[in-house]
């Protein structure tokens, strides 16, 4: 087995930062009315700016694959190019198409040579799944390097025109033309971008991050679906897939929109996060005092204090000054968020040899969690 290092980290955030007052002009107003949920959601999540891969007219400027490609290209220099990549492992929640795979579409843009591909799907942990594939490939000496990515282009999914047919159907039924909170909520939570890591079997440059381990925990055996798209949730908790709906229902019920069961989220996301972190710390006999930086992907500041309180109650006291987030100015970029957090730390002057970083990524799809321990070398 080889040791595995993140030797380079890159990112691509499209266009210019969008502040809270600009959001609705980019995403559009549903039924020409301002959202009643927007200010409440933004007050809780405390995101100040985010990035969209579209212009103010709602015209896309980048595909998901192109965002990912541009993040990867920031890893290249005279010592490492596309010709050197052995494994390309890409994770996303919002691929450009159902088929071919996201990694294949990225490879098509990268050009270069033939390489091994892996695509990870899911929600926020699809990026860490992609990372673990690359990690295991290098660790097992299947390859000398791997490029791993997390990316999202969700803004086009959130555009107001995607809900117009549903609004018109509600009007015909003489109901209030307001989309459900489970859909409107996420319009003010999510944004676009991509991050990329170069994994190698030797350190490189001034600072590298040794990947000590990556753990995953799923609670799908206990909990029903919380965040979903391409289907709808039935009264019994099951998900009815898009292909079981008529083509008319795809539009009239916004079947392809992203939805979240907020009640289920609030009841479980903290509890299972505390439970899974306790398990992973016990497994590795890792004391909170030995963690230099706790790097959690959080969707909203609403959860930070609750998470800290939950940890303390469980005897896990990771001091608040050790927590690192860039949520207010980068936004919630789903599977890319973990990459963007680590990229910012690695390319800053904060890190010192021997520092340890514990990366935490929750996923509300059906409640799964990942933890990655990194050591600065």
């Amino acid at each position: 087995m080889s040791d595995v290092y993140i030797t380079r980290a890159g990112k691509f955030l499209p266009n210019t930062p969008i502040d809270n007052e600009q959001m609705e002009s980019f995403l559009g107003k549903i039924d020409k009315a301002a959202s009643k949920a927007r200010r409440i959601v933004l007050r809780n999540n405390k995101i100040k700016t985010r990035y969209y891969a579209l212009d103010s007219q709602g015209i896309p400027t980048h595909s998901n694959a192109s965002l990912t490609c541009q993040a990867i290209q920031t890893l290249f220099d005279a010592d490492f190019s596309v010709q050197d990549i052995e494994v390309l492992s890409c994770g996303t929640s919002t691929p450009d198409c159902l088929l071919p795979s996201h990694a294949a579409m990225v490879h098509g843009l990268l050009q270069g040579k033939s390489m091994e591909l892996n695509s990870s799907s899911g929600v926020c942990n699809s990026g860490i799944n992609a990372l673990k594939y690359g990690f295991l490939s290098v660790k097992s000496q299947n390859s000398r390097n791997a490029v791993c990515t997390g990316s999202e282009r969700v803004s086009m999914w959130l555009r107001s025109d995607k809900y117009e047919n549903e609004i018109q159907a509600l009007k015909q039924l003489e109901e209030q033309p307001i989309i459900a909170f489970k859909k409107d909520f996420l319009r003010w939570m999510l944004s676009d971008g991509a991050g990329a890591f170069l994994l190698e079997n030797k350190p490189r440059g001034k600072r590298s991050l040794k990947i000590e381990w990556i753990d995953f925990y799923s609670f799908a055996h206990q909990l029903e679906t919380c965040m979903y798209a391409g289907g709808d949730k039935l009264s019994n908790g099951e998900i009815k897939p898009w292909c079981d709906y008529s083509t008319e229902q795809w539009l009239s019920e916004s079947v392809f929109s992203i939805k979240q069961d907020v009640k289920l989220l609030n009841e479980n996301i903290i509890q299972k996060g505390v439970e899974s972190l306790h398990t992973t710390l016990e497994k590795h006999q890792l004391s909170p005092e030995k963690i230099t930086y706790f790097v959690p992907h959080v969707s909203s500041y609403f959860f930070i204090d609750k998470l800290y309180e939950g940890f303390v109650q469980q005897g896990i006291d990771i001091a608040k000054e050790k927590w690192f987030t860039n949520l207010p100015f980068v936004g919630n970029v789903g599977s890319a968020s973990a990459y963007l957090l680590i990229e910012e730390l690695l390319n800053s002057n904060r890190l010192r040899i021997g520092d340890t970083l514990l990366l935490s990524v929750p996923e509300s799809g059906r409640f799964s969690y990942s933890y990655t321990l990194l050591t600065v070398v």
Side-chain angles (χ1 to χ4, degrees), residues 27 51-54 153-159 190-192:
L27 298 182
Y51 295 81
Y52 291 146
L54 48 76
R153 194 198 72 156
V154 69
S155 55
M156 289 302 295
W157 295 37
L158 306 175
R159 283 277 302 162
L190 306 173
S191 52
D192 302 340

Side-chain angles (χ1 to χ4, degrees), residues 74-137:
T74 66
L75 305 176
F76 298 157
D77 64 9
D79 297 323
F80 186 84
S81 74
V82 66
Q83 300 294 337
D84 299 309
I85 299 175
E86 297 185 12
V87 175
L88 176 62
S89 182
C90 302
T92 187
S93 313
T94 54
D96 296 316
C97 49
L98 296 177
L99 300 170
S101 74
H102 177 53
M105 301 306 287
V106 175
H107 185 204
L109 293 179
L110 277 175
Q111 300 293 305
K113 63 179 181 65
S114 179
M115 60 187 71
E116 181 179 346
L117 300 180
N118 172 63
S119 292
S120 297
S121 64
V123 194
C124 299
N125 267 315
S126 58
I128 303 300
N129 272 299
L131 177 64
K132 187 157 188 178
Y133 186 95
F135 166 67
L136 293 176
S137 179

Side-chain angles (χ1 to χ4, degrees), residues 44-46 266 270 299-307:
N44 282 321
N45 68 28
K46 290 184 168 54
N266 290 338
I270 299 299
S299 61
S300 169
Y301 261 83
F302 176 79
F303 294 114
I304 288 182
D305 288 339
K306 293 180 179 294
L307 195 58

Side-chain angles (χ1 to χ4, degrees), residues 185-186 189 225-227 233 260-271 299-300 302-303 362-365 367 369:
F185 169 73
L186 291 170
M189 294 288 289
T225 305
C226 178
M227 186 175 180
K233 198 171 184 178
Q260 190 162 49
D261 186 329
V262 181
K263 182 175 183 293
L264 191 64
L265 177 76
N266 290 338
E267 288 174 351
N268 295 285
I269 194 69
I270 299 299
Q271 177 189 342
S299 61
S300 169
F302 176 79
F303 294 114
E363 174 180 302
S364 63
F367 297 98
Y369 300 78

